[in-house]
Amino acid sequence: MTQPMSYAIITPARNESENLQRLAACLRSQAVTPRRWIIVDNGSTDDTPTVGRHLTTTEGPWITLHEMPGELIPVRGAPVVRAFHAGVAALDVPVDVVVKLDADVSFDPRFFAVILEAFAQDPSLGITGGVCLEQDLAGRWLPDHVTRGHVRGATRAYRWDCLEAVLPLEERMGWDGIDELKAQVRGWRTGTLPELEFHHHRALGDREPTWSKWTIQGDMAHFMGYRPYYVVARSLYRSLQAPSALAILWGYARAVLTRRRRCADAAAVDRLRDQQSLRSLPRRIREARGMDVVSS
């Protein structure tokens, strides 16, 4: 009889005291229990460490809390990756799958059972996760579509062998694009499971001023090696719903003019630029609009 796959969860957490209780309830109800849930507090100024310690004492040894210093001013990208790296280093049991799981999500009891089944059925699958649902102004939960091969960082599951191949992750915005590209050029498949959904209880980037959110996206595009025309197309497409998304262009231009660092993995950048070729643009637009089903 084949041994079922095992998994561990790492949750980088900064000021997530309210969300951790909801997430704990979701994990407690899973059909397949994680071998470890490592909560990594990275500089919280609220009761997150207290909540984490309470969970470790009331739930049992499968939950551990790791505390590390954080930034004085919260930023996206680097602190989360450093916390994830710390969680991987603290993992004390062998597992088949490692999940980077945000605190502000919820899902049904078979969420991780479905992910493990996907990995078991496809040995080439390296990174996968669920479809992100976010609430609109009318209170409706709607899917936030992504392009083929991309997996939202909020419920990002790595096959252990794939994770070893892409570590260390980039400690900056764009880490969850570069790791996919590195995985793909090393022979792994990546992609979202279209039948699997999770609720995201905080919109992406809502901790930042709107302009800053989009300029950071432009800086990320420069780091990853986006084709210039693709940056323009992405900015214009996003601006149809949020005019401030035109700030992507400024963030990209500023990074170019100041000669900011770019991704050093040439194979990963080449892979990205091939995906952004003109022949691929119509398909990627359909995927971003949810007109094509994106699967792993």
Side-chain angles (χ1 to χ4, degrees), residues 135-291:
Q135 208 165 19
D136 68 5
L137 295 177
R140 299 171 300 177
W141 288 96
L142 302 176
D144 183 22
H145 300 289
V146 296
T147 51
R148 192 176 306 275
H150 184 54
V151 179
R152 287 289 295 266
T155 62
R156 195 176 191 80
Y158 299 85
R159 188 187 297 272
W160 177 257
D161 291 344
C162 177
L163 179 61
E164 284 191 310
V166 301
L167 284 175
L169 306 183
E170 295 285 347
E171 293 188 3
R172 55 153 296 129
M173 276 287 293
W175 67 269
D176 56 349
I178 293 297
D179 65 342
E180 290 170 346
L181 296 165
K182 289 169 68 174
Q184 291 164 15
V185 299
R186 288 160 175 75
W188 297 102
R189 291 200 315 107
T190 69
T192 297
L193 301 175
E195 74 279 13
L196 190 64
E197 297 178 338
F198 68 92
H199 294 84
H200 187 209
H201 297 274
R202 180 169 52 225
L204 183 65
D206 75 347
R207 287 178 168 176
E208 303 154 355
T210 303
W211 180 265
S212 298
K213 176 177 70 174
W214 294 115
T215 56
I216 291 171
Q217 293 284 323
D219 180 83
M220 178 194 71
H222 172 266
F223 171 77
M224 292 181 65
Y226 275 43
R227 292 178 181 268
Y229 90 84
Y230 195 88
V231 178
V232 174
R234 185 168 185 266
S235 179
L236 293 176
Y237 174 76
R238 293 293 185 183
S239 71
L240 296 176
Q241 292 183 316
S244 57
L246 292 173
I248 291 174
L249 298 175
W250 165 240
Y252 181 84
R254 182 176 61 184
V256 171
L257 292 172
T258 57
R259 298 183 178 180
R260 297 202 63 177
R261 185 173 71 92
R262 307 192 82 161
C263 177
D265 192 315
V269 173
D270 287 345
R271 174 81 176 190
L272 174 69
R273 293 173 72 84
D274 181 66
Q275 293 173 354
Q276 293 178 347
S277 63
L278 282 171
R279 69 178 183 277
S280 301
L281 188 58
R283 173 177 57 80
R284 291 176 73 84
I285 291 174
R286 292 194 302 271
E287 291 168 357
R289 296 179 65 185
M291 298 170 64

Side-chain angles (χ1 to χ4, degrees), residues 22-23 26 30 101-108 111 131 133 141 155 197-201:
R22 180 183 56 238
L23 182 58
C26 287
Q30 290 300 295
L101 184 68
D102 286 359
D104 58 355
V105 299
S106 62
F107 34 78
D108 71 32
F111 189 84
V131 175
L133 301 181
W141 288 96
T155 62
E197 297 178 338
F198 68 92
H199 294 84
H200 187 209
H201 297 274

Side-chain angles (χ1 to χ4, degrees), residues 11-17 39-50 53 65-75 79-80 82-83 86 207:
T11 298
R14 181 185 174 100
N15 295 345
E16 300 284 7
S17 58
I39 303 167
V40 184
D41 180 83
N42 57 337
S44 292
T45 57
D46 69 353
D47 292 332
T48 296
T50 302
R53 284 190 286 271
L65 174 68
H66 182 87
E67 297 183 65
M68 60 185 295
E71 284 69 15
L72 292 177
I73 300 175
V75 294
V80 169
R82 284 195 286 270
R207 287 178 168 176

Side-chain angles (χ1 to χ4, degrees), residues 9-10 38 40 66 81-93 98-100 158 160 163-164 167 169:
I9 291 170
I10 298 170
I38 302 174
V40 184
H66 182 87
V81 175
R82 284 195 286 270
F84 180 72
H85 284 158
V88 172
L91 185 58
D92 61 349
V93 293
V98 175
V99 183
K100 182 268 181 189
Y158 299 85
W160 177 257
L163 179 61
E164 284 191 310
L167 284 175
L169 306 183

Side-chain angles (χ1 to χ4, degrees), residues 17 20-21 39 47-57 63-65:
S17 58
L20 276 179
Q21 293 285 11
I39 303 167
D47 292 332
T48 296
T50 302
V51 173
R53 284 190 286 271
H54 176 74
L55 289 171
T56 64
T57 58
I63 303 179
T64 60
L65 174 68

